[in-house]
Amino acid sequence: MNINRTRSRYCTVLTGLIVVLSACSSAAPPAPATPSPGAVSTSSAAATDVPSASASNWDAVLAEAKGQTVNWYMWGGDDLINQYVTGYLNTQAKPFGITINEVTISDTVDAVNKVLGEKSAGKDSNGSVDMIWINGENFTTMKQASALYCGWVHDLPNDQYVDWNNPTVANDFGIAVDNCEAPWTLAQFAMIYDSAKVPTPPTDAASLIAWIKANPGKFAYPAMPDFTGSVFARQMFYYVNGGYQDLLGNFDQAKYDSVAPKLWTLLNDIEPSLWRQGSTYPQNIAAVDQLFANGEVSLNMTYGPTETAGFVQKGTWPATTREFVFDAGMIGDVSYVAIPYNSPHQAAAKVVANILLSPDAQLKAMAAGSLGYPAIDVGKLPADQQTPFKNYAFPPEVAPLDVLIKNSNPELQAKWATTIEADWTKNVLQK
């Protein structure tokens, strides 16, 4: 995943259906050399357009991929996403002779640890994992361990629709993508509420805190290192710091040490007003989703606002469910897929990644109600293929796109997130 910043330095991350239609980029610098598999770079990448591979090279990939099964390790806590993969994507892969085996995990780090364990054991081929739905800190971990297969993303025919001039796409949590992972979806952190119980939702972090204290037991956030729980903590980190502007760039221990105690004070202060008085924390966002469905909590949160529609349409959440973001904006970023260095089915994994970037798959992902917004630059599509994106109407339970992306806050480099997660355990959970 990646960060978004002001136009002078970065384009807005959630281009969604507005900004993606007119790319926020400047003239492209020369294309960088393609990195070798496992190459490591922790600097921010210069965004650039990169030519796709020749048709003959792609034909060779398709030939090698035929008959292969892609073991795709991914978070499996959302039924709509699971159905999208096992149903729609498998149908799309079938003509290529490819089967997608979704291996559901509760946390991406489980897949990362499996690959790192195999690397440590010298299993440099015929590994267990062919593809991972990955983001920020996990991508950084694998990249630094030379555990990724790199140099393949720009070979994808549908890579032509990706705006690599956008630093939001070219960097993942401030770390250069370096042709080591393919974008899949765009996401935005947002709050969810039942408008029948919360007629006037909070407008900023301060009013959210006031609401939590005034409605004891009606709010919960997932325990670290759950991804959504972690982004909630980072959003509160921004609040106690007075904004994110001086947090951008490399991790700064001194700055962190000056801000983190304020975060622990805030989170410990609201703990008695949380669900079950904070005596226990939901293990993951799926558990909080269930609490919201049961009416045990009246506020929820998501990093994929379109998923709200799916929960409402299934009848899991009430029809009065709505979304909001702070007036000052909330965090947004990009999701990717990566291929481990020892995957035995790298060709098939590349074909699946290419399918994910196809216009039809991008539109279906958005319509599935759980996967966020297009990761492609819709303006790069042929005119007739742009129309369905431009005309797409979100249901009332999903906040209007211009509301969601307004003042969208950038993500930080991964070390900020991992440090907050680790310190949360000892400064909040174990207090």
Side-chain angles (χ1 to χ4, degrees):
M1 289 195 174
N2 234 335
I3 58 177
N4 61 311
R5 304 187 182 178
T6 58
R7 184 179 176 86
S8 62
R9 296 184 62 193
Y10 286 78
C11 305
T12 303
V13 62
L14 261 191
T15 49
L17 301 182
I18 298 176
V19 183
V20 289
L21 300 179
S22 57
C24 50
S25 62
S26 57
T34 301
S36 60
V40 177
S41 172
T42 56
S43 62
S44 294
T48 181
D49 281 331
V50 181
S52 299
S54 67
S56 60
N57 288 343
W58 187 247
D59 286 342
V61 172
L62 294 176
E64 182 181 349
K66 191 172 183 179
Q68 292 185 348
T69 294
V70 176
N71 293 310
W72 185 3
Y73 280 63
M74 60 185 295
W75 176 72
D78 188 293
D79 290 340
L80 291 172
I81 297 175
N82 295 337
Q83 291 166 15
Y84 174 79
V85 174
T86 59
Y88 169 77
L89 287 180
N90 250 318
T91 299
Q92 296 299 301
K94 188 174 181 180
F96 299 101
I98 295 169
T99 300
I100 300 173
N101 176 38
E102 180 190 4
V103 182
T104 59
I105 51 179
S106 60
D107 196 293
T108 306
V109 72
D110 297 338
V112 173
N113 286 339
K114 181 176 284 290
V115 176
L116 296 180
E118 290 175 348
K119 185 175 179 64
S120 179
K123 191 174 185 179
D124 295 329
S125 61
N126 212 26
S128 306
V129 184
D130 293 310
M131 193 164 75
I132 304 174
W133 179 7
I134 200 163
N135 62 277
E137 60 199 77
N138 292 302
F139 170 70
T140 300
T141 297
M142 292 193 73
K143 194 163 187 271
Q144 291 177 339
S146 298
L148 291 171
Y149 169 47
C150 297
W152 59 275
V153 180
H154 303 314
D155 294 342
L156 308 180
N158 289 329
D159 181 68
Q160 65 182 303
Y161 304 131
V162 177
D163 181 14
W164 290 107
N165 286 303
N166 184 347
T168 295
V169 179
N171 297 277
D172 186 347
F173 270 59
I175 303 300
V177 169
D178 278 345
N179 208 0
C180 294
E181 59 180 355
W184 181 20
T185 62
L186 299 177
Q188 175 68 45
F189 188 47
M191 302 299 296
I192 298 168
Y193 68 106
D194 183 347
S195 61
K197 298 176 180 178
V198 188
T200 305
T203 58
D204 53 25
S207 57
L208 172 62
I209 293 165
W211 187 94
I212 292 170
K213 292 181 177 180
N215 297 271
K218 291 300 182 179
F219 182 80
Y221 66 91
M224 310 296 123
D226 175 84
F227 182 79
T228 309
S230 179
V231 74
F232 171 74
R234 294 197 296 280
Q235 193 72 65
M236 294 300 103
F237 191 82
Y238 287 3
Y239 167 64
V240 297
N241 183 57
Y244 61 80
Q245 287 79 3
D246 61 342
L247 300 173
L248 303 178
N250 293 332
F251 178 77
D252 183 331
Q253 186 68 56
K255 179 63 177 177
Y256 175 84
D257 290 341
S258 71
V259 179
K262 302 174 187 177
L263 177 64
W264 313 138
T265 296
L266 182 156
L267 296 179
N268 284 310
D269 185 46
I270 65 172
E271 190 173 67
S273 300
L274 298 179
W275 174 72
R276 293 188 177 177
Q277 297 181 310
S279 61
T280 184
Y281 287 79
Q283 183 177 3
N284 49 46
I285 191 58
V288 182
D289 289 343
Q290 189 59 51
L291 293 177
F292 187 76
N294 295 342
E296 293 185 62
V297 299
S298 300
L299 290 184
N300 194 0
M301 62 192 72
T302 181
Y303 218 147
T306 56
E307 71 182 2
T308 300
F311 282 107
V312 172
Q313 291 165 7
K314 289 189 301 182
T316 304
W317 290 351
T320 48
T321 300
R322 296 292 185 269
E323 296 173 344
F324 72 90
V325 293
F326 296 157
D327 291 344
M330 300 180 82
I331 295 172
D333 62 18
V334 180
S335 251
Y336 301 83
V337 291
I339 303 173
Y341 83 108
N342 63 346
S343 159
H345 306 126
Q346 291 176 349
K350 285 194 278 189
V351 175
V352 173
N354 190 59
I355 292 172
L356 290 172
L357 285 174
S358 70
D360 187 67
Q362 289 282 298
L363 189 64
K364 288 289 196 304
M366 185 169 62
S370 291
L371 285 167
Y373 308 98
I376 59 175
D377 179 351
V378 176
K380 289 177 174 283
L381 298 176
D384 61 327
Q385 293 185 17
Q386 294 181 26
T387 302
F389 292 92
K390 293 179 180 179
N391 294 342
Y392 189 84
F394 288 100
E397 52 268 20
V398 177
L401 188 63
D402 57 344
V403 172
L404 285 172
I405 67 174
K406 185 178 180 181
N407 301 320
S408 189
N409 299 171
E411 271 287 13
L412 301 179
Q413 289 198 11
K415 186 168 175 57
W416 293 92
T418 54
T419 305
I420 290 172
E421 290 167 4
D423 288 353
W424 178 87
T425 299
K426 60 185 178 183
N427 288 289
V428 178
L429 183 64
Q430 296 175 352
K431 281 288 185 181

